[in-house]
Amino acid sequence: MHDYLMELLVCPACHGELVWAVTERQGNDIVSGRAECPDCSADYPVQEGIGVFLTPDLPRQDLWEEVESRLSAYLREHPDIERKLLETPLEELAPADRFFRAMILDERGEFAEARAAADAATAGLYTREYLECSERQIEFALQLLSADTAPVVDLASGMGHLVERLARRLNRPIVATDFSPRVLRRDRRRFSSFGLGDRISFLAFDARRTPFRRGAVHTMTTYQGLLNIREPGDLLRELRRVVSGVLVALTFFFPEDDAANGALIEEFGLAQMAYREPALAQFRQAGWSVQVAASWKGVARPTPPSVLLEGAGIDALPAAETTLEWCVLEAH
Ligand SMILES: C[S@@+](CC[C@H](N)C(=O)[O-])C[C@H]1O[C@@H](n2cnc3c(N)ncnc32)[C@H](O)[C@@H]1O
């Protein structure tokens, strides 16, 4: 994490001031150290360049940790499957298996090969409309964000699809965040190998309990982040507390009468952000002035499952074909 962030951060648990001890730096980047909160005695490490501001009170399911440790345990027991995943010509693998090959290569630090496998996976996993609508969303957001130079904090960054586009296109410092330190560690290595290390900082925290001081975030983005946050509770109020400028949220909405996907959306605790009008109402209730700055509709289908890894799939939603509305929300 870059040192300009220190003055923006407080204890995520009690909002007390932090006392910093930096033990290793590379230029402006803090590689290791710790931040202590004298008010509530919480202690937050900076490890491998990632500030870890997770609090013990919120339950969280780190799917990166779960899927990747399950995948590596499975492949250790089945080296023949690992060989097939890695050695079969890419074009002969099912799209989901190309994705799993990308995950293995990414974990090994073979980032260029991982990118080629991930790109080959994407075209087979998603409908043309899905990909076109996502691309339009991102282009629209990049235009919107190009006029300013203040840092951009990206929420629930995952593999950093949006973070990479922001870092390549904008002349602004970017902060990648997620509650999974594991995915951020990999992002950091990958982005550094792509020459983007100087532009991107990394903070691990739960979006529902951020470590930012009131009003400290000028610009926040999120790409398919809101819909992935289970049991969001007061998420939008917490974001309202910390954002002083604009929140640009790239998301998609399900039709309200989509019973086939609706059951799963309820089961995952995702209903708050899954439907357009109720989601906008939630924003307003939390004190935001929000508008749909742009939107596009397209057909989405369930991502086809793996052939080599029995029972393994990619996205849980949509579970049945549907028409989604991709929106760029602009909230002040
Ligand atoms: C599929 S990713 C979204 C795509 C990503 N924004 C990108 O640009 O590639 C969703 C991410 O949300 C993260 N996530 C889920 N719940 C979260 C929470 N409460 N706080 C922070 N991150 C969360 C997950 O770990 C996952 O990495």
Side-chain angles (χ1 to χ4, degrees):
M1 57 170 278
H2 291 91
D3 54 10
Y4 75 88
L5 288 170
M6 289 162 82
E7 68 182 37
L8 307 184
L9 299 175
V10 288
C11 172
C14 76
H15 301 161
E17 293 296 324
L18 296 168
V19 177
W20 291 83
V22 175
T23 47
E24 189 189 343
R25 280 177 173 274
Q26 278 168 5
N28 295 331
D29 201 13
I30 301 175
V31 179
S32 66
R34 53 191 336 102
E36 284 176 26
C37 174
D39 290 355
C40 72
S41 306
D43 195 14
Y44 304 101
V46 183
Q47 293 163 331
E48 297 176 57
I50 299 165
V52 182
F53 290 88
L54 295 167
T55 59
D57 57 319
L58 289 177
R60 56 181 169 269
Q61 195 185 5
D62 180 345
L63 291 174
W64 295 111
E65 196 67 53
E66 280 178 23
V67 170
E68 289 181 6
S69 42
R70 234 184 292 146
L71 179 63
S72 44
Y74 181 84
L75 294 178
R76 263 197 309 279
E77 279 171 31
H78 301 89
D80 52 318
I81 303 276
E82 182 170 61
R83 245 190 330 273
K84 280 188 191 155
L85 272 176
L86 291 174
E87 291 173 12
T88 306
L90 197 51
E91 58 284 1
E92 289 172 25
L93 282 178
D97 292 327
R98 296 175 189 173
F99 180 86
F100 288 118
R101 178 193 283 194
M103 277 180 81
I104 299 169
L105 293 171
D106 210 47
E107 184 67 23
R108 291 182 176 186
E110 296 175 31
F111 298 119
E113 296 79 358
R115 173 58 53 86
D119 288 347
T122 301
L125 287 172
Y126 299 101
T127 63
R128 187 178 47 78
E129 290 171 46
Y130 187 114
L131 297 174
E132 282 174 5
C133 291
S134 295
E135 185 53 31
R136 288 196 188 119
Q137 246 186 340
I138 292 178
E139 270 304 318
F140 186 91
L142 289 169
Q143 292 287 338
L144 204 64
L145 297 164
S146 60
D148 213 315
T149 54
V152 178
V153 175
D154 185 61
L155 206 67
S157 304
M159 296 271 285
H161 188 61
L162 181 62
V163 162
E164 184 173 343
R165 298 288 295 271
L166 295 171
R168 288 193 188 280
R169 187 80 160 266
L170 304 181
N171 185 23
R172 305 177 69 162
I174 312 296
V175 187
T177 78
D178 202 283
F179 70 8
S180 171
R182 181 170 187 138
V183 79
L184 292 179
R185 274 196 296 274
R186 260 223 331 264
D187 289 347
R188 185 169 182 269
R189 285 200 292 270
R190 181 180 343 99
F191 290 142
S192 145
S193 90
F194 290 168
L196 297 169
D198 289 350
R199 315 278 322 281
I200 306 172
S201 278
F202 298 88
L203 293 177
F205 62 79
D206 193 310
R208 298 166 294 175
R209 183 110 55 253
T210 81
F212 291 105
R213 205 181 279 292
R214 178 174 297 281
V217 177
H218 180 281
T219 302
M220 181 176 274
T221 54
T222 186
Y223 172 70
Q224 294 185 11
L226 296 183
L227 186 59
N228 274 286
I229 295 172
R230 295 184 180 195
E231 307 299 347
D234 287 337
L235 168 74
L236 293 176
R237 276 188 204 286
E238 171 61 358
L239 303 184
R240 180 70 289 216
R241 181 183 71 79
V242 301
V243 175
S244 55
V246 63
L247 165 62
V248 177
L250 287 65
T251 195
F252 53 67
F253 293 120
F254 286 80
E256 283 197 54
D257 59 359
D258 181 349
N261 291 299
L264 214 53
I265 288 169
E266 280 295 334
E267 187 187 319
F268 291 154
L270 298 173
Q272 200 184 91
M273 286 296 139
Y275 307 107
R276 177 175 162 138
E277 292 316 315
L280 295 177
Q282 293 281 340
F283 266 91
R284 291 183 184 115
Q285 269 167 32
W288 292 94
S289 160
V290 64
Q291 59 156 337
V292 177
S295 74
W296 305 268
K297 281 192 179 170
V299 170
R301 297 197 187 92
T303 48
S306 166
V307 170
L308 292 175
L309 300 166
E310 214 181 307
I314 306 296
D315 292 346
L317 284 166
E321 181 172 320
T322 189
T323 299
L324 299 175
E325 184 180 16
W326 279 262
C327 292
V328 178
L329 307 184
E330 197 180 344
H332 295 270

